[in-house]
Amino acid sequence: MSFRNRLRFEHQLAALVGLLCLALVGATVGGAIWLERRSAVRLAEDRLGRLAAGMAESLDATLRERFREIQVVAGLAPLRERWTADPSAARGVLAAMRTTAPDYAWLGFVAADGRVRIGTEGMLEGDALNGRAWFEAGLIRPTVGDVHEAVLLNRLLHRTGAEPLRLVDLAAPVHDAAGAVIGVLGGHLSWDWAGRVRNRLIETAAPGTELWVLDRRGRVLLGPHLGAAPFGPALTGGMVERGSGTFSVDLGGEMVRAGFASAAKGERTEIAGGDPALGWIVVATRPQVQILAPVQQSIRPLLGLGAALALVGVALAWCLGRGIAAPLRQMTAAADRIGREPDATTLPHLDHAREFRELSASLRALLQRIGTAERQLSDATDRSTRVAAFYRRQIEALRQVAGTDMLTGLLNRRGFVVPAEEAFAIGRSGRGAAVLVIDIDHFKRVNDEHGHDAGDAVIRHVGALLAEAVRGSDTVARFGGEEFVVLLVGLGAAESVLIAERLCAAVRETTITHPGGTIGVTVSIGVAMVSGLDPDIHAAIARADAALYDAKARGRDRVGVAAGPDGVGRAA
């Protein structure tokens, strides 16, 4: 007796309603937690994306302003003759520029021969800068170089921090009145400016937020682990291509959520005129654990509330079940007394729900008809039992005869239908099913040389050998003549081919004895795996049949493997 059958109706009803309450409460609480987690993650990603965009916009705006400032000053007509004729006047202009924009670590004019003619605070004056990338490019066009560590200025400028000075190079050609290039106006923008922007934004962000500035190859220009490439080439390439967005990544064993934005969306590190395009990427990250911490704190109260609601539902269901089951208990007690007590011959009228009233009336009428009906039913049951047993035996015998090959005792085409459909379903589900089509080689020669009785003996022997060689879960059928079909289930392609090769070898190594002597035969086998692309089992059989004829064409006594609906087979 099952556990359910041992429970009273009111208990089953209470359990069913209680489970329903638990399911509804669980789904509601789970859905609320899922929505809250998704909302928290989306809100955090939105904030991180806006933080990264703000940092990128600040970097881009400052760099664009300084870059255009260099170009404007380099092109001022009143200074064309003063760069070489009156260095003091030009030096005053550069000093004013540095006072207005303290982020300049150095400003200077470098003559076309590579010598520094003018430098703020006299720094680098007289030094030769030939070969410097920013100088050589600045002779040709306005240019901006990526962040790099200072070489000459690092020893000239007093710095309080431990980190070395890093610069962004800005340059523009200076022309005389005739349009000839007489030198380059260069500016070294201190990368400390970007650090100050980063620190200011982090102070306003949520705890645990980190800001990174990467170059186009993903190396850290600003942030933890300078020079490292924490996000990998694939993720960096995606950020360069998309320009902005969000993602999640495992950093050092900790899952973080991130928003990113390009500080400059160009494809080149240097451009002539216009805006600088260094391809910097700003990434704002925050650990997922911190993002979801408020959600985790709210889970316990939600679960407590859900459990309380479920308990209330179970209690109400228990009371409801007892009230509903009361008429049934009364009817059960009355029915149990019938046949035990002499005066108990009928059932009481129930005055509860309409269904209970109708049930009691029907049962009372039924008891009045039981006497006669019982005898008639007994006679009819005996007759029908005998007739049914006779017809079952006949039908089973006919079914067995219709589905069995009379020569070998194996299944024939009719009996093969049901196991074939089952194997097809197994193959389409991905659990592996193979079709082997087997044909006795040179069978006509056996009939011609030894007679048809010998041919029948060969067919019976090969059929018995095949049935004995496969597993109990596999199916062997004779399709007619010297052709057999084997269904292998639960095996992959390699295992199926191996079994087919063993069958070939088993037939090859046996001899068949008949009254006229002994006969040695071989078989050729075509193998096809059932595929999800096959419309039915006959498609797999057709592919196996084609593989069989390929094996015969290649010399017989071998295995041919059929191509899948979209693949290429191989021969064994």
Side-chain angles (χ1 to χ4, degrees):
M1 181 182 294
S2 67
F3 176 75
R4 184 185 65 180
N5 292 337
R6 291 197 296 269
L7 293 178
R8 299 173 67 90
F9 170 74
E10 59 262 34
H11 298 163
Q12 293 189 33
L13 181 60
L16 180 61
V17 175
L19 289 176
L20 180 60
C21 290
L22 287 174
L24 291 176
V25 171
T28 302
V29 172
I33 293 173
W34 179 79
L35 289 174
E36 191 172 353
R37 284 173 60 93
R38 186 178 68 169
S39 177
V41 169
R42 287 185 175 179
L43 179 60
E45 288 181 340
D46 180 65
R47 289 176 176 173
L48 292 171
R50 285 189 278 110
L51 182 63
M55 177 75 177
E57 184 178 351
S58 179
L59 293 178
D60 200 30
T62 300
L63 187 60
R64 184 186 301 113
E65 182 179 353
R66 299 285 86 83
F67 186 53
R68 291 179 178 174
E69 186 176 65
I70 288 291
Q71 295 180 73
V72 169
V73 174
L76 287 176
L79 290 178
R80 286 176 179 171
E81 302 300 331
R82 295 178 181 269
W83 292 113
T84 55
D86 188 6
S88 60
R91 186 179 289 108
V93 173
L94 298 185
M97 289 176 61
R98 192 178 181 195
T99 301
T100 305
D103 293 329
Y104 283 118
W106 178 83
L107 288 164
F109 170 72
V110 186
D113 62 0
R115 291 284 177 180
V116 179
R117 295 291 189 266
I118 304 171
T120 51
E121 299 181 6
M123 289 186 292
L124 302 182
E125 289 186 356
D127 288 357
L129 300 183
N130 303 79
R132 301 281 177 168
W134 65 268
F135 169 70
E136 299 297 338
L139 289 171
I140 302 172
R141 61 184 179 275
T143 187
V144 57
D146 213 336
V147 180
H148 65 92
E149 188 172 330
V151 179
L152 298 177
L153 290 178
N154 199 38
R155 57 183 172 80
L156 297 177
L157 295 173
H158 176 71
R159 290 177 52 80
T160 57
E163 294 185 358
L165 176 64
R166 292 186 294 163
L167 305 172
V168 176
D169 298 327
L170 308 171
V174 177
H175 300 84
D176 60 15
V181 176
I182 61 173
V184 174
L185 175 60
H188 293 327
L189 193 62
S190 172
W191 187 237
D192 292 345
W193 126 78
R196 290 192 296 272
V197 174
R198 172 178 176 269
N199 293 337
R200 186 177 68 250
L201 291 175
I202 287 179
E203 289 176 358
T204 63
T209 301
E210 189 59 83
L211 271 173
W212 317 62
V213 179
L214 316 175
D215 64 13
R216 185 181 288 105
R217 288 179 291 179
R219 295 178 303 183
V220 178
L221 300 176
L222 184 63
H225 312 298
L226 291 177
F231 299 104
L235 188 52
T236 301
M239 288 190 283
V240 171
E241 181 178 351
R242 291 166 58 191
S244 64
T246 61
F247 62 89
S248 61
V249 66
D250 188 328
L251 284 183
E254 182 178 39
M255 182 61 64
V256 299
R257 296 282 176 168
F260 67 92
S262 293
K265 304 175 179 61
E267 295 294 332
R268 300 164 54 191
T269 59
E270 298 177 353
I271 64 174
D275 292 337
L278 295 173
W280 294 336
I281 306 168
V282 179
V283 182
T285 63
R286 190 180 179 207
Q288 182 167 289
V289 172
Q290 295 187 11
I291 294 173
L292 297 178
V295 180
Q296 295 299 116
Q297 295 175 358
S298 65
I299 289 178
R300 185 172 296 176
L302 284 174
L303 292 177
L305 177 61
L309 291 175
L311 289 175
V312 171
V314 171
L316 292 176
W318 184 274
C319 297
L320 179 64
R322 287 192 60 83
I324 293 177
L328 294 180
R329 289 197 298 270
Q330 181 182 357
M331 180 72 71
T332 302
D336 186 62
R337 289 195 298 271
I338 295 177
R340 300 175 184 272
E341 301 176 6
D343 58 342
T345 58
T346 186
L347 296 174
H349 288 285
L350 298 181
D351 57 355
H352 292 77
R354 176 179 177 182
E355 289 81 358
F356 290 155
R357 293 199 303 271
E358 292 176 352
L359 175 62
S360 64
S362 298
L363 291 177
R364 287 168 60 86
L366 177 62
L367 288 174
Q368 297 173 5
R369 299 192 299 270
I370 280 180
T372 303
E374 186 177 14
R375 185 174 58 256
Q376 295 175 348
L377 179 61
S378 177
D379 295 342
T381 300
D382 290 341
R383 290 194 299 272
S384 63
T385 300
R386 290 193 297 273
V387 172
F390 171 77
Y391 281 114
R392 277 198 301 270
R393 290 193 297 271
Q394 297 300 316
I395 291 172
E396 185 61 30
L398 291 174
R399 181 182 294 114
Q400 184 173 1
V401 170
T404 303
D405 176 59
M406 301 305 295
L407 179 60
T408 62
L410 300 174
L411 295 178
N412 58 17
R413 286 181 181 268
R414 182 187 299 275
F416 180 75
V417 171
V418 173
E421 292 301 326
E422 294 174 351
F424 180 66
I426 292 173
R428 285 180 64 90
S429 69
R431 289 178 287 164
V435 177
L436 277 59
V437 177
I438 304 172
D439 191 82
I440 301 174
D441 297 328
H442 301 299
F443 183 72
K444 183 176 183 303
R445 185 185 301 169
V446 173
N447 280 333
D448 293 343
E449 294 179 359
H450 302 281
H452 289 283
D453 289 341
D456 290 346
V458 168
I459 290 174
R460 282 193 299 271
H461 185 85
V462 171
L465 185 62
L466 295 177
E468 182 180 349
V470 299
R471 303 166 302 167
S473 59
D474 301 326
T475 301
V476 181
R478 180 189 176 207
F479 266 32
E482 67 273 22
E483 185 179 31
F484 299 86
V485 176
V486 177
L487 295 174
L488 304 177
V489 295
L491 299 177
E495 297 166 314
S496 301
V497 172
L498 180 60
I499 289 177
E501 291 172 347
R502 289 177 180 173
L503 292 177
C504 264
V507 175
R508 183 189 313 121
E509 293 168 1
T510 190
T511 56
I512 296 97
T513 302
H514 73 103
T518 59
I519 304 172
V521 295
T522 61
V523 295
S524 298
I525 303 177
V527 181
M529 297 301 299
V530 176
S531 168
L533 299 178
D534 287 326
D536 51 35
I537 191 64
H538 301 293
I541 294 175
R543 290 191 286 106
D545 197 53
L548 166 67
Y549 281 99
D550 177 66
K552 283 184 172 291
R554 290 185 290 105
R556 294 180 170 83
D557 189 21
R558 64 192 64 215
V559 176
V561 182
D566 55 355
V568 179
R570 63 177 178 83

